[in-house]
Amino acid sequence: MKTKTDSLFSIFLTFLRFGIMAWGGPIAQINMLREDLVNKNKWVSEKRFYKTLALYQALPGPEALEMCIYLGVVRGGKLAGIIAGAGFILPGLLFILLFSFIYKNYGASYFSPLFLTVTPVIAAIIIRAAHRIGDNVLLSRSLAFICFYSIIMKILGSHFILILITCAIFHYLWCKGNIKISILVIFAFTILQMTFNQLHYSSSGEKIFSDSGNLFLAGLEAGMLSFGGAYTAIPFLHDSTVGVFKGITNQTFLDGVALVNIIPAPFVVFSTFIGFQTDNLWGAAIITVGIFLPAFLITIFFHKKMELIIENKVLHNFLDGIMAGVVGLLIFTSTEILINSVSSSLQATIFIISLLLLYLWKNQYNTPAIILFFGLFGYLIN
């Protein structure tokens, strides 16, 4: 029989508290879970905690949320896992819905002073994230080549799904010692991708969607492919929503990223903002379900199978190739965002200062602190 501590309601309250305190991004969130549930309350051993964390860092989805779901399952079963994840998400979700409502109904001008000075900070944050993730992923020449290849193919207009498939197969063959075959395969896939691009662009003009089904797919796609941490969802959501859905411009996208960085929330909650701008509350709900669904399904129903997959050395080569390709896509998107974010000497100065602070100031709360500082600065000078 469960104790009072393990009741579903108490588990919900525990993770709701974590959600309220979820400032500073995934590193700060994971440290908070470790301090409270491992060191203090002994829900799991430290060894088991870090082994599980390593598993979720190699899988798609926000790892802090996945750890919350996992710890909920450990403490009270599958339903407790769902409740733990929901509790962790809820505070940030309510914050971003409030900001989304104000933004859409009262205009972006309400936040204009904030966005003027925070937009270049967001560019710096994403570039720093791309560098950090790249340091952990690009550990060989073949992976560095894949990253470069991914950038080039994105510049040439290839769809990211095709890019990632090519990267996975190339790296698998390369690691098996079939270097000549891997080069031939990547050449053949490149020709196929360019042919697909020509057929795609010649047969279809600009398409602006507004239906919820496509919003759900955009979220699901990002949730399934965001290997390497929450920031890797950025290129997928950027590709799938900017200029695709009504009302979603590059600036709208950046505004959503800026807002989510100043609230306690899993980073990918910024997708909720995008959904709201497209189709109000229903759009927000459907894209949110899409982006979080893989994290819940993997953690609750496929945890043991995922452990076996991660331990399979053959599949490592595929996963490493995909992750290197994702880093390339993130670098491409962060560069594109930088170009669109810096249009004055003031913004260029803010970008440089922010980037320096992110590298030199080693603190888990540096991101929200820098955003809040420059946000207040924006209101002071306007």
Side-chain angles (χ1 to χ4, degrees), residues 215-216 218-219 237 241 271-272 274-275 282-291:
L215 271 175
F216 175 77
L237 279 173
T241 61
S271 63
T272 305
I274 294 169
W282 177 246
I286 205 70
I287 196 172
T288 303
V289 170
I291 202 164

Side-chain angles (χ1 to χ4, degrees), residues 140-146 166-186 317-318 321:
S140 67
R141 290 182 180 179
S142 62
L143 292 171
F145 169 77
I146 288 170
T166 306
C167 292
I169 295 174
F170 169 81
H171 192 249
Y172 170 76
L173 292 171
W174 182 279
C175 291
K176 294 287 287 184
N178 300 320
I179 296 176
K180 291 182 179 179
I181 297 176
S182 68
I183 293 172
L184 287 173
V185 165
I186 206 168
N317 296 331
F318 282 104

Side-chain angles (χ1 to χ4, degrees), residues 26 56-57 59-63 133 226-234 268 323:
Y56 292 126
Q57 286 177 327
L59 294 172
E63 61 268 37
I133 295 167
S226 54
F227 290 87
Y231 279 99
T232 59
I234 289 173
V268 293
M323 290 180 71

Side-chain angles (χ1 to χ4, degrees), residues 21 28 73 99 113 127 147 157 176 232 236 245 346 351 369:
M21 299 299 294
V73 171
F99 287 158
I127 288 172
C147 176
K176 294 287 287 184
T232 59
F236 306 121
F245 291 98
L346 173 64
F351 168 76

Side-chain angles (χ1 to χ4, degrees), residues 28-45:
Q29 293 161 7
I30 289 167
N31 282 337
M32 176 175 59
L33 294 173
R34 180 180 57 81
E35 287 292 331
D36 194 297
L37 301 184
V38 178
N39 293 345
K40 182 180 177 181
N41 290 303
K42 311 295 182 184
W43 281 25
V44 295
S45 67

